[in-house]
Every structure is written in structure tokens, then in C-alpha cells.
Amino acid sequence: MGEVTGTAIGGLGYFIGHMMLANTDLALFAGLIGLGIPGIFFFFATIFFGLRLKHDEAILAEIKRLEEEYDNTVTYFSERSSSYASLAEVAFLYRDNEAFGRLINKTVKNFITYGSHKDIFLFLVLDSIKACHNAGSKKAKDWLKSLVPFIAQITNYTDGDETRHLPKELSETLSEISPELLKSYYLFTADNEDLFLAEDIFPDLIKTLDISNPVAEAIAKTAIDKDSIQLLKDRAQKGDSYAHKILSENENYFGILSFLEEEYNPSTYLKPSTKKTSFEVENIQPSKLADYFESLDNLERESFLIDWIKHWLEPIQTRKETFEAIKAILHEHPRILRYYEILDLIIPYAQEFESPNRVFELICEANIHGYGWNKWWTAPKHTYKRWETLKKFFPERWKEFIFKTIGRTPYDNKPHFNYFMPIPRLVEYFIYFNDLTTAEMLTEILVKFTKNLMGNLRLEEPKWVSASEPDLYEVLFSRLLWPSPIVRERTASAIAELLS
């Protein structure tokens, strides 16, 4: 309609211009003047009064329709942000300031969000929730339920690399925190034929069953997958007679179930050492340590020194000389790769030869060099051992330890408190030092922050989250619909046994 209106007004202006200027000096330009005057009028009217043609209204209506479509589309946040930005640009050109402001706001909300590739943040939040639950928190179930929508659709707004394992991680977490919800989760995935996930969930369900209950026992009899059978074996080894009975019956029926395991051959991944290790630590006296250490191949040094410390540091007679020899080595080689492991070994003996403050600094150094706050880069046993030492000898300095070590690395010893909150280690740390309140506060922040990372993404809560707890019979009868004929047969046999 905008084109028709413009053509009509232009034609009328052309005609009037010729009529009014026919006998004047401007007659030659009468048509152009007749077209130009209404054109200039509409140009300035559009600028100053926001005058819109019907064509413009159609475009603005399309902007609103597309905005609603984007609001309800679950996809990568980068794509959502780009789509909103494009709409905002069109809204700006058509001077719809309200829509422009709204769309720019949504652009920004979807710009700083959950990462689409290898973002493991939700794994760490789940670990924090489990830590609080194990410490006696009553808030864990509600936190977990609030995260379910984000986990259920994780592969729709991420590429699934690493993140595709989150639904299984949710299953393991539910087995600890809310077994009743786990039953609903399993039934929902099985009924919706998400069979790979349902198969992953089933072992966690087996883990929670009280198989002294006849119906639970019947469900366990349908277990033929490797993980479920291993769980039953573990229970049988711990003296569970019901688990032993189920395994015996299945083995009498099938024979002994075995699964092929892929053997790990480290030689496939590791290059052989160019020099054969041939040291005998007991023959190297502390006075000879420095010279012998320098003579070793770089690949052997750390292993040798650790073995040497374990041998020489414990005997009281040689302890002081040994300690001084180790200090000299560390002074000359401060960048030694397993520096943190060496510190962990000498810290228990350092109190005999160092001031309390220096021992505290050594604990801090070990944590920094061992990346003690990072879940993925350190062995938990090393981290927890430092906490144990700290609690035993420096119970009043446990908060100072946080500020001395957090946000620091061996290569950047300046703290970065403005963005760094290591989870779940920090939550576990507060729990270890009997401060569950602060641990709960941090976890609450993590859950709220997760919601903020979702921008304006609309995710519905799966129905199973608020459904009533299913009966064990529902779980048992759902196994009759499992694709595997063996599972269906075992289920039918178990039901027949119950009825008899």
C-alpha cells in the first residue's frame, strides 16, 4: 500500500504542478516541482513526526512476530543474540524506539550467557549441590529441581561436546539427593523413547532400590547391562544376600555374564624414555643429593626426588640434613614440575625446622602450584591433605588461606578476586571447616547465576519434576516395553513370580 499511496500522491503533485506553473518561467520544471514538494513533505514528516505508511506498519508487525518467534526458539545463544541484533537494526531504521530498546536489551542478555562449546559450569554446580546435601543441607532438592529445565535441553543450546553428559550427571545426582524423582526421570525418558539416556539412568535406579522389597527385586532381575550387573556384584560382595540371589538366578538362566573390556595400553600414548631409570635412592646420601640430581636426565629427576624424600625424610637421624638438602634443590629448581607434590611430602616435617608462619606459607605454595582449587587439574587427595594439615595446625588461619591462594597460579601470583570463585572446591572447603551456612550461600548464588546465564531463554519444566512419585510397579511394567526381548522376557518372568 505504501507504493500505491506514493505513486498516487506523486502523480497528483505532477498534475497540480503543471496546472499552476504552466504560464510561468518555471513551466519547464513544473512536473519535477510537483513531485518534489510532497516528497520533501513526507521525508520531513517521517523524521519529525514518525509518520508511517501502511508498508512501514507491516514491517513493524513482522519485527514483532519474529521477536516472539526468537523468544520461543531454543538454540545457541550466539545465534539468538545475532537475530535480536538484526531486528534491533531494522527497528532503529523504522524509528520504533520502544522495540529498538527492547531488542537491544535482549541482544545483550543473549551475548553474555552459557557457552555453546565445552562449558562445564553446570557440572560444577551439581557437584556443589551434592557437597551441601552430603553435609546435611535441606536445600539441595529445590536447587536441583530448579536446574532441571537447563539440563534437560542442554544439547539444544550447546553443541553437546562434554555437555551431552549432563543428563546422566543429573541422574547420578538424583540418586543421592532425590531417589523418588529419579524414578520419575527414568519413566519419563523411557516413555518418550529416549532409550540411550534411559539405559544410562537405569543403573542409578538400581543403586537406590531396596531389593529386599519383592517389587524392587523384580526390577533388579531385569538388569542385563554391564553397569547394573556390576552394581549388583558390588552389593553382593558387601554381604547383600538379595543381590547375590538375583545374580545367581540370572547366571543360572544365562550362564555367567561377561563383558568385553577395552584394554588400556599406555605405551600407545607415551613415548618410551630415552634413558633407563636405574637409581637406588638408599645409596644417595643427603650430602650427595645435589650432585646426583644434576646428573640425572630431566625426565627422571622428579620421580627420583620424590622416591628419595620418601626414603630419607622419615628417619629421625637424617631428617634435618635431608630437609636442608631438599630445600637446596628446590631453591635451585623452583620450576620443577612436581613442586607441589614435593612440598606436600615435606610439610609434615617442616614444623621441626621452620617457623609456623613459613610452614603456613609452604601449605599455600603447595596449593597454588598444585592448582588445589581446580577440580580438573589436581588429585583431590592432595588438596584434602592440605586442608587436614591446615585444620590441625592453623585452625585460626583457614580464611586467610583462601585469600593467600585463590585466583593465583604458579605463573601469576597476583590474586584475581574480581572474577574467580573456584567451585566446587570452595564450597567443599567451607563445609570442611564447618561453615555450611556460607557453603549454602555460595551454592545459592551459583544456582541464581546459572539462571542469569540463560538470558531470556524460555525453558519449560519437564512434567516429571512436579509429578507425583511413581509406584515401583510402574517402573517394573515399563520394562515390558523395553526394546530388548531379553529384558522383556526377564520382566515377564519376574511379574509371573510375583503373581505366584
Side-chain angles (χ1 to χ4, degrees):
M1 291 299 295
E3 292 84 352
V4 174
T5 304
T7 301
I9 292 176
L12 183 63
Y14 183 87
F15 177 73
I16 293 173
H18 272 289
M19 285 184 57
M20 297 185 66
L21 302 174
N23 298 316
T24 66
D25 295 337
L26 299 175
L28 184 63
F29 307 103
L32 290 174
I33 294 171
L35 287 169
I37 289 175
I40 292 171
F41 169 77
F42 277 104
F43 175 75
F44 283 105
T46 300
I47 293 176
F48 292 108
F49 303 106
L51 183 62
R52 300 190 184 105
L53 302 178
K54 289 187 177 180
H55 172 263
D56 303 334
E57 297 295 343
I59 289 178
L60 294 174
E62 181 66 8
I63 289 174
K64 188 172 183 179
R65 185 192 72 78
L66 287 172
E67 181 184 0
E68 291 177 356
E69 180 182 316
Y70 298 154
D71 287 346
N72 294 290
T73 300
V74 182
T75 186
Y76 296 173
F77 287 106
S78 57
E79 293 181 8
R80 290 171 60 81
S81 183
S82 177
S83 298
Y84 284 127
S86 297
L87 282 184
E89 185 178 4
V90 177
F92 177 78
L93 291 174
Y94 280 83
R95 302 190 60 76
D96 189 340
N97 295 329
E98 181 182 350
F100 172 73
R102 188 174 64 249
L103 288 164
I104 282 294
N105 181 267
K106 291 180 179 179
T107 299
V108 174
K109 279 187 175 181
N110 286 273
F111 188 75
I112 306 174
T113 49
Y114 202 87
S116 62
H117 180 66
K118 285 184 176 294
D119 193 332
I120 57 172
F121 181 71
L122 269 168
F123 287 96
L124 305 178
V125 178
L126 289 179
D127 285 340
S128 299
I129 292 174
K130 283 190 284 188
C132 287
H133 171 75
N134 293 334
S137 175
K138 304 300 182 184
K139 301 178 180 181
K141 184 177 178 179
D142 289 336
W143 288 332
L144 194 56
K145 289 172 70 173
S146 71
L147 295 180
V148 168
F150 312 136
I151 296 173
Q153 296 205 48
I154 188 72
T155 54
N156 291 327
Y157 60 87
T158 73
D159 61 11
D161 194 353
E162 299 293 347
T163 57
R164 68 183 181 276
H165 302 296
L166 265 168
K168 167 61 176 171
E169 189 75 15
L170 173 62
S171 169
E172 293 177 0
T173 307
L174 285 170
S175 71
E176 296 183 28
I177 296 175
S178 181
E180 69 279 5
L181 272 179
L182 180 60
K183 286 189 285 186
S184 299
Y185 188 28
Y186 172 76
L187 283 175
F188 178 83
T189 53
D191 291 347
N192 284 274
E193 297 188 350
D194 191 353
L195 299 176
F196 287 111
L197 177 56
E199 187 175 29
D200 287 340
I201 294 172
F202 190 69
D204 294 318
L205 185 62
I206 292 292
K207 193 192 309 179
T208 65
L209 292 178
D210 175 12
I211 53 179
S212 64
N213 179 309
V215 184
E217 181 184 1
I219 294 170
K221 286 179 179 179
T222 70
I224 62 169
D225 61 282
K226 181 180 70 173
D227 292 337
S228 296
I229 289 174
Q230 186 58 53
L231 283 167
L232 290 172
K233 286 181 178 179
D234 292 342
R235 292 175 70 160
Q237 288 175 357
K238 294 176 181 177
D240 189 329
S241 59
Y242 294 97
H244 186 271
K245 176 187 172 188
I246 292 168
L247 289 170
S248 298
E249 290 181 4
N250 277 354
E251 287 181 2
N252 289 335
Y253 189 83
F254 293 112
I256 296 177
L257 293 173
S258 60
F259 299 90
L260 293 176
E261 299 285 353
E262 182 179 351
E263 292 187 4
Y264 169 69
N265 183 3
S267 63
T268 306
Y269 308 96
L270 301 176
K271 293 181 179 179
S273 175
T274 55
K275 183 177 179 181
K276 185 178 179 181
T277 301
S278 58
F279 49 78
E280 295 181 2
V281 294
E282 62 271 17
N283 295 331
I284 311 300
Q285 297 289 325
S287 59
K288 303 295 183 181
L289 176 63
D291 291 338
Y292 187 81
F293 184 83
E294 295 295 338
S295 70
L296 289 173
D297 185 277
N298 286 336
L299 294 175
E300 293 183 332
R301 286 180 171 179
E302 287 87 356
S303 296
F304 160 75
L305 187 56
I306 288 170
D307 289 343
W308 189 88
I309 291 171
K310 290 177 180 177
H311 176 80
W312 284 94
L313 194 55
E314 188 173 354
I316 297 175
Q317 304 91 322
T318 57
R319 190 175 295 170
K320 182 172 178 58
E321 187 181 4
T322 300
F323 189 83
E324 294 299 326
I326 297 167
K327 281 180 61 179
I329 292 291
L330 296 181
H331 179 74
E332 291 296 324
H333 300 274
R335 296 293 186 184
I336 194 168
L337 289 178
R338 295 168 71 179
Y339 181 71
Y340 74 93
E341 198 171 343
I342 295 166
L343 288 182
D344 285 333
L345 287 173
I346 69 172
I347 283 170
Y349 305 98
Q351 295 181 80
E352 297 180 30
F353 314 110
E354 301 284 359
S355 68
N357 191 60
R358 178 55 186 157
V359 175
F360 178 76
E361 290 176 355
L362 287 174
I363 299 172
C364 293
E365 283 184 41
N367 203 70
I368 292 168
H369 285 261
Y371 296 93
W373 291 115
N374 192 298
K375 175 185 176 179
W376 311 110
W377 291 5
T378 187
K381 64 179 181 180
H382 295 301
T383 300
Y384 300 149
K385 183 65 177 177
R386 290 176 210 125
W387 296 357
E388 182 184 332
T389 305
L390 196 65
K391 193 172 190 177
K392 182 177 180 180
F393 297 106
F394 304 98
E396 75 288 350
R397 301 182 73 175
W398 68 276
K399 289 185 179 178
E400 182 185 350
F401 176 80
I402 299 174
F403 291 96
K404 287 274 190 179
T405 60
I406 205 167
R408 301 172 189 258
T409 71
Y411 308 104
D412 183 6
N413 204 25
K414 295 179 181 178
H416 298 286
F417 300 116
N418 53 332
Y419 69 88
F420 194 82
M421 187 173 93
I423 57 170
R425 286 286 181 265
L426 190 59
V427 172
E428 294 168 351
Y429 184 79
F430 277 102
I431 291 171
Y432 185 82
F433 283 91
N434 306 313
D435 190 354
L436 179 59
T437 301
T438 302
E440 288 180 323
M441 180 194 71
L442 291 175
T443 307
E444 183 79 35
I445 291 170
L446 292 173
V447 172
K448 289 180 179 179
F449 183 63
T450 302
K451 295 176 182 178
N452 290 335
L453 287 176
M454 298 300 154
N456 68 320
L457 193 62
R458 295 175 181 174
L459 296 173
E460 292 185 2
E461 181 181 86
K463 293 179 180 179
W464 62 266
V465 176
S466 54
S468 57
E469 181 181 354
D471 191 270
L472 283 174
Y473 282 104
E474 294 180 63
V475 178
L476 178 60
F477 278 91
S478 74
R479 300 291 282 173
L480 285 171
L481 302 176
W482 195 254
S484 168
I486 300 177
V487 171
R488 296 199 300 270
E489 188 280 330
R490 298 313 297 153
T491 306
S493 297
I495 293 173
E497 189 176 335
L498 279 176
L499 293 174
S500 65

